[in-house]
Amino acid sequence: MIIIIGSSEEYHAKYVLEKLQREGSAAKYFDSRKYPIFSWSPDGAQDYIILDDEKVYLKDIVGIYWRWYYGVTFSTTEIVQREKVSALESMLCSLESLSWNSLQAVELHRKKGLQSKIMHDNGIRIPKTTVTNDKDMLEKFYLENDKNVIFKPVRGGAYTKKLTDDDLLRKESLKNCPCQLQECIDGVDIRVYAFETGEIFAGEILAKSLDFRADRNAKINKHKLPENIEKDCLKVLKLLNLKYSGIDIRLKKNGEYVFIEANPAPMFIHFENVTGFEITNTLIKNLKGNR
């Protein structure tokens, strides 16, 4: 049995589940908004979760595709909410070895500043970065980087934007919400799909917008990474406890590759359709344990 964390509302989750079913593989959604009946114990002997009225024993799960975790719908009291979250997420964490990717890896990505620090401390070239809610630091960082700075959420959920002089006029609002600042790396976007099993698929994204996700007409070309950058991609997986990832890199005009971040639940269908890379098949092969 393969479990898809998500629902038919999310395109990638639906795409992978339907492909598995066409191949004759047993697969089910796990939608956390429909809080399941389950039983979990440290020895794991009789652990199970009920999905779509079917009891699925955890020992029969061979792989988990983590695409979209909706969290736990708020309960009537705070203590019940805490207990529901703690019980469910304890079980999910116990399945880390089967999960592409794990809850722990997803949580680390939600702390983008920490992800950047881990890469930096281990010799991965990243942009100059700071996370702050101090208006003076914002201005200092902006000027030190010749006003060539971008800002984006610490957790995610919004597009990257260029910091401007006008933004400095509104810097008092920073005290209400921290943000992540980075030097703007001028160059070409490279998206890499890397698997711990060694498969690496890279594409050059030619977009008209600063954040390539905002340009639906962006052109994608296959890109051959140098061997040392391929090794760095696999190193990033290990550092961030990832089995696979959509890694964002910027290629500078001087040929330097700068790592931006590593996504634990990346979108890939459009990229695959344009390039012909077999990302879905590689993911499914790994979910089935055929490594």
Side-chain angles (χ1 to χ4, degrees), residues 75-260:
S75 301
T76 52
T77 66
E78 183 179 350
I79 189 169
V80 171
Q81 176 73 9
R82 291 202 311 263
E83 292 300 291
K84 289 176 72 173
V85 170
S86 180
L88 180 62
E89 294 190 352
S90 292
M91 181 182 68
L92 291 175
C93 287
S94 77
L95 298 170
E96 178 179 9
S97 64
L98 302 174
S99 300
W100 294 68
N101 280 293
S102 67
L103 175 60
Q104 294 94 319
V106 172
E107 287 293 342
L108 180 57
H109 182 252
R110 291 171 178 168
K111 303 172 179 65
K112 293 182 186 292
L114 178 57
Q115 188 186 84
S116 294
K117 177 173 172 54
I118 291 170
M119 289 194 287
H120 171 269
D121 288 351
N122 287 276
I124 301 297
R125 168 71 162 100
I126 65 166
K128 295 175 186 176
T129 301
T130 192
V131 177
T132 187
N133 63 348
D134 186 332
K135 65 182 188 303
D136 294 330
M137 176 53 73
L138 180 145
E139 184 170 0
K140 180 174 183 291
F141 189 86
Y142 183 55
L143 296 176
E144 285 179 347
N145 288 280
D146 300 321
K147 298 186 177 183
N148 194 25
V149 171
I150 58 96
F151 66 97
K152 59 186 179 182
V154 182
R155 176 164 175 155
Y159 290 143
T160 297
K161 295 182 179 180
K162 195 81 176 282
L163 195 66
T164 67
D165 289 344
D166 287 342
D167 292 321
L168 290 188
L169 299 177
R170 298 188 294 271
K171 63 184 179 181
E172 288 291 339
S173 64
L174 189 67
K175 64 185 178 183
N176 298 320
C177 183
C179 71
Q180 181 172 208
L181 307 170
Q182 288 184 327
E183 63 170 318
C184 183
I185 303 297
D186 295 320
V188 177
D189 286 301
I190 306 293
R191 165 53 72 96
V192 181
Y193 293 91
F195 292 79
E196 68 172 10
T197 42
E199 298 92 343
I200 293 178
F201 309 101
E204 177 181 292
I205 303 176
L206 304 176
K208 294 180 179 179
S209 56
L210 176 65
D211 190 319
F212 67 79
R213 296 172 298 173
D215 184 358
R216 295 187 177 183
N217 297 313
K219 187 176 180 180
I220 304 174
N221 298 318
K222 291 183 178 181
H223 181 83
K224 177 60 179 174
L225 293 172
E227 185 177 347
N228 66 310
I229 301 302
E230 288 190 346
K231 289 180 178 178
D232 279 347
C233 288
L234 296 176
K235 181 179 178 180
V236 165
L237 296 185
K238 290 183 179 180
L239 290 172
L240 303 179
N241 195 29
L242 294 161
K243 286 185 168 64
Y244 88 111
S245 177
I247 302 174
D248 291 326
I249 299 174
R250 275 267 179 160
L251 174 57
K252 297 175 66 175
K253 291 181 180 179
N254 65 2
E256 182 182 18
Y257 289 80
V258 182
F259 284 68
I260 307 300

Side-chain angles (χ1 to χ4, degrees), residues 1-5 16-17 20 25-30 49 51 56-67 92 95-102 243-244 283-291:
M1 175 68 73
I2 293 174
I3 302 300
I4 311 294
I5 296 182
V16 171
L17 183 133
L20 283 164
S25 298
K28 285 187 175 294
Y29 292 123
F30 166 54
I49 182 171
L51 300 172
V56 176
Y57 287 96
L58 301 193
K59 62 182 176 58
D60 294 330
I61 298 174
V62 297
I64 299 171
Y65 168 43
W66 189 294
R67 174 51 200 154
L92 291 175
L95 298 170
E96 178 179 9
S97 64
L98 302 174
S99 300
W100 294 68
N101 280 293
S102 67
K243 286 185 168 64
Y244 88 111
L283 176 61
I284 286 177
K285 178 188 72 173
N286 284 294
L287 287 170
K288 291 180 176 180
N290 301 324
R291 304 174 195 172

